[in-house]
Amino acid sequence: MAISYMTKAGYDKKMQELAHLENVERPAVVQAIVEAREKGDLSENAEYDAARERQGMLEAKIAELKSLIAGARIIDESKINTDEVQLLTKVTIKNLGNNIQMTYTIVTETESNLKEGKISITTPIAKGLVGHKVGDVVEIQAPAGMMKFEILDIAV
């Protein structure tokens, strides 16, 4: 079982997703299989095949979530140090190439969501920022090429 680190909010979100899959999606798939089975010959029933395939994918997703949750370790956000960029810090940086400021929260892979400003600690930008302090200028090799960022602020 792999250990995965996450925040309490991230853990709660995974628990809600699991509950939805087990209590809403699973019964719906079972119902679809029952309805398709009632239509007769299963050997030529595309609806039945599709429902069974959906069930297989759903059960795989449920198993994956259960494994992730079983190996979850909740990170105590109150013990985060803001002297340098690390997991769960919110870092404001300025791209020195175009002077655009961005703020990202460095999170685990399971919690990354760019729309929410959360980037995975495994991304090139996060890897390049970790361990640096406010005022540092960091050069990071990104997919778009070498980029320079100045760290403006580190918060929780």
Side-chain angles (χ1 to χ4, degrees), residues 23-24 29 34 36 58 67 74 83 92 103 122 143 149-150 152 154:
N23 301 323
V24 177
V29 169
V34 168
L58 178 67
S67 177
I74 308 298
D83 291 343
T92 301
T103 300
T122 61
F149 298 99
E150 180 183 358
L152 303 177
I154 302 170

Side-chain angles (χ1 to χ4, degrees), residues 13 36 47 49 51 58 62 66 68 78 102 106 119 121 149:
K13 193 173 182 181
E47 284 181 49
D49 291 341
L58 178 67
I62 289 171
K66 282 185 174 183
L68 180 70
S78 68
M102 300 158 279
I106 311 296
I119 61 171
I121 194 156
F149 298 99

Side-chain angles (χ1 to χ4, degrees), residues 42-107:
L42 297 181
S43 66
E44 295 178 15
N45 190 330
E47 284 181 49
Y48 178 77
D49 291 341
R52 292 289 297 174
E53 185 175 330
R54 187 170 151 222
Q55 181 184 37
M57 291 188 311
L58 178 67
E59 293 302 328
K61 179 68 176 168
I62 289 171
E64 179 185 324
L65 269 173
K66 282 185 174 183
S67 177
L68 180 70
I69 290 166
R73 300 293 180 266
I74 308 298
I75 298 168
D76 185 352
E77 295 176 72
S78 68
K79 295 192 169 126
I80 296 171
N81 179 352
T82 58
D83 291 343
E84 63 183 36
V85 179
Q86 62 178 315
L87 188 63
L88 297 184
T89 54
K90 182 180 282 190
V91 60
T92 301
I93 56 176
K94 179 168 66 172
N95 181 330
L96 297 179
N98 59 17
N99 283 333
I100 294 177
Q101 281 190 27
M102 300 158 279
T103 300
Y104 296 116
T105 302
I106 311 296
V107 296

